Amino acid sequence: MKLFVITTPFFFEGESRIITHLFREGMQRLHLRKPQSDIDRFRLLLDAIPVEYHSRIVLHEHFELTAGYRLAGIHLTCRKVLPEA
């Protein structure tokens, strides 16, 4: 069985510690989803997670961070791909 987790849409105290623990316990993939958050908060969270787990993280926002971090990729939704009508 593969364990995939989607984060809550808001940041919270101790989140990086919990994420790291989940990776150590076998989590295969983390979808980092914080729709209303700024890029600096994303960086702080990514920097607090050991680099060895970055390749298991998928971003739902701030795709430009893939240039500075070795992440698993990005998650596109129709909301981000299609122009608004």
Side-chain angles (χ1 to χ4, degrees):
M1 180 169 84
K2 293 184 179 182
L3 178 61
F4 288 58
V5 172
I6 301 172
T7 64
T8 62
F10 53 87
F11 292 95
F12 61 90
E13 185 70 31
E15 185 170 17
S16 63
R17 196 171 53 249
I18 291 169
I19 289 170
T20 300
H21 178 75
L22 288 169
F23 277 129
R24 287 184 180 141
E25 293 299 316
M27 179 172 61
Q28 298 297 309
R29 186 78 69 218
L30 175 75
H31 281 252
L32 186 52
R33 182 182 172 278
K34 311 283 188 188
Q36 303 302 317
S37 297
D38 64 66
I39 195 168
D40 293 328
R41 296 287 306 269
F42 268 73
R43 279 193 189 101
L44 286 172
L45 181 57
L46 288 170
D47 289 342
I49 298 169
V51 173
E52 65 193 88
Y53 301 122
H54 286 186
S55 64
R56 298 187 204 174
I57 299 173
V58 174
L59 296 181
H60 283 233
E61 287 82 33
H62 303 299
F63 303 143
E64 61 271 28
L65 290 174
T66 58
Y69 296 87
R70 294 179 184 242
L71 304 172
I74 62 173
H75 180 86
L76 294 175
T77 63
C78 62
R79 175 175 51 94
K80 294 195 176 92
V81 176
L82 300 175
E84 293 190 30

